[in-house]
Amino acid sequence: MAQTKQHVPQLGKDPLKKVIAAMTVEEKVKLIVGMGMNYDNIPDGILPPKDPADAKIPEKVPGAAGRTHAIARLGIPSMTLSDGPAGVRIDPKRKGEKRTYYATAFPVGTLLASSWDTSLVSRVGRAFGTEVREYGIDVLLAPAMNIQRNPLGGRNFEYYSEDPVVAGNIAAYFVKGIQADGVGTSIKHFAANNQEYNRMQLNTNLSERALREIYLKGFEIAVKKAQPWTVMSSYNLINGTYTSESRGLLTQILRNEWGFKGMVMTDWFAGKSATEQVNAGNDMLMPGIYAETTEILESVKDGKISQQQLDLNVERILEMILKSPTFKHYKYSDKPDLVKDAQISRIAATEGMVLLKDNNNALPIAKTKRVALFGNTSYDLIAGGTGSGDVNKPYIISLNQGLVNAGYVLDNGLQKEYKDYIVQAKLNRPKPKVAFFAPAPISEMVLTDEMLQSESDKTDVAIFTIGRNAGEGNDRIQENDFDLTAIEQQNLKNISAVYHTKGKKVIVVLNIGGVTEIASWRDEADGVLLAWQPGEEGGNAITDVLSGKVNPSGKLTATFPLKYTDVPSAKTFPGQLVGDTTAPGNPLMGRAAAVTYNEGIYVGYRYYSTFNIKPAYEFGYGLSYTKFAYSGLRLNDKTLINNDLTVTIIVKNTGKAAGKEVAQLYISAPAKQLNKPAYELKGFAKTRLLQPGESQTLTFKITPADLASFNTAQSAWIADSGSYTVKVGSSSLQIKQSAEFKLANDVIVEKVKPILLPTTEINEIK
Ligand code: BGC
């Protein structure tokens, strides 16, 4: 009798458990160990050898950061994962094809967050998600949402804030927007990855309270509000354990405490032990190293990894695949609407720019004014940072072009001089060894008195742009980066002297990705616009704000200190080498290093306001071309037991231009068992565009969980009984209205297991 052919379970058609049961151990490991990326542009000897079999599998989307292995006999397709936070990062050109595959460069993360506008961020997410889907990608490796602990963090531009409530909410709405397009996200880098210094072997020592209240809180908010398909664990260690190898972090906290339903992947080449990663619940290892496959197979054989654990990780990966457009045979067009998305990029950019200074209505600049445009980045705008957060964009609109597009008259001679200077300076600068890293900045042209005299005769106003770039792999430094260079200082002084003598105004535009020094030079300028790194439409967007077409409504999501030494982590950043400091660093992994967060929970404004350190511009600060008044603060209850609190306030536009206002809600909590910051942000809301005279009532919801601090001794989130003050303001220092309420009893919001405890003593400031 002829034997009937045995049915092979198929993904999506048969129950998932049956598909898993039909998989060989080798197939399971294939799924767990990823595939890609194309290393052709990286010099030999830096990255570990690939599985030779993988090299033969053609890339579906060239330039994407990674893929998963297909297992055809079970109907499991290969997923494509791509960076990154500011745009879909893929190769713009493909072998043998004439057409291009550019993606929209949206504004960097810090700018998006500075809009404090969750619906705008969702809208950007939708546009972004469509590009992901239309380019045949399944998961976007974004958003990046680590805390901006120190202004010099090299990837701060990708991150959102020094505050977890801002970071968590902005990330949540970005994720919701992207995932509404049927593609996944990967919130990263989980967690406490706040700098680049020896990032792959950096041990971050910090207290459990600081970890939970500051560095995990944003991820918790994003997970609970948006359920990202995936989480990317980080490179660093926390208190001696690699995050990708920490079961406490990836299983206990992420899944058991927060209810995360998706899957976890490593950051690229992260960690040391593949076995520990699998056991921690780090489901997928990216981008997949041959040696990991052999190690995991051995560990399964030896029983170091249980079948059950292996199956669990496989199941989570398959659940993600089931949701993906590739699995659903989505017919992607390879033609996202880049024209439409450019407009969204431009709108978003204008919404997140922050007006720092505007004396005597220096801004907006009337179209009739003749403009002298100084500074390299006026002509060579930095649209975004470098590294995996970079995008292959179709174009960048410079500020020069933006002003011309809007009809401003610029001095042609000066434009030509700058353009020629920049071309020459770029030819002369050293090339980075790997194109991925930031190129050396070019120095500013020295502006002579003769030149300035003639320019100031020909023009009515001077704009001086100061630019900074940074990115993955390197932190910034104080000299010539956080601080202005000597030439920048001199140029600004001279422009200011000459223009002011003639009664003409000077505007500074900051085209930067992170906090810089500002206090020593701001008196030279009548207006300062923080334009951040605004994406491909940057020049048009800056012009929209400078011209008054858009009234600025962005606010700072990080403090600008008076000087670097005021930063609470100035003394400990970026840490130091540990172990044998003379041994040569590994070309990929760098060296073993450590950093100790002895400022504890006092990061950013929590520090400046509690210890009364005056900043240059405080957290939450930002001006507008109009004015707002706050009134009618109301709490629905004055005594809470275990219930939520509803807070309302009326914001009225009392000025002459239409505008939007970001209202921030801070709470001062009683300090009973623990030291507490002076106040902490617990909510924020942005008004719609209010016409002069128009008002809007904003509503905030506060739950007992929002009032809780992490009490390490009791291993619990506790809201202490006592008197609380609600403060609503236009910044962390401009509190407009406040009111009190009482919490009748201590509320133990959640009891948890102690996790990732420090292994060395940390002398935290109090
Ligand atoms: C970065 C990640 C990125 C990954 C893939 C890593 O070096 O840290 O943010 O997603 O590379 O490109």
Side-chain angles (χ1 to χ4, degrees), residues 33-34 39 48-54 287-296:
V33 179
Y39 314 166
K50 287 197 251 194
D51 184 337
D54 290 352
I289 305 174
Y290 199 23
E292 291 168 343
T293 306
T294 13
E295 182 191 321
I296 298 173

Side-chain angles (χ1 to χ4, degrees), residues 65 83 141 155 188-189 199 232 235 267-268 388 472:
D83 284 307
L141 304 172
R155 296 183 81 171
K188 67 189 189 183
H189 311 85
R199 63 180 181 158
M232 186 190 292
Y235 282 128
D267 197 347
W268 270 228
S388 61
E472 193 171 344

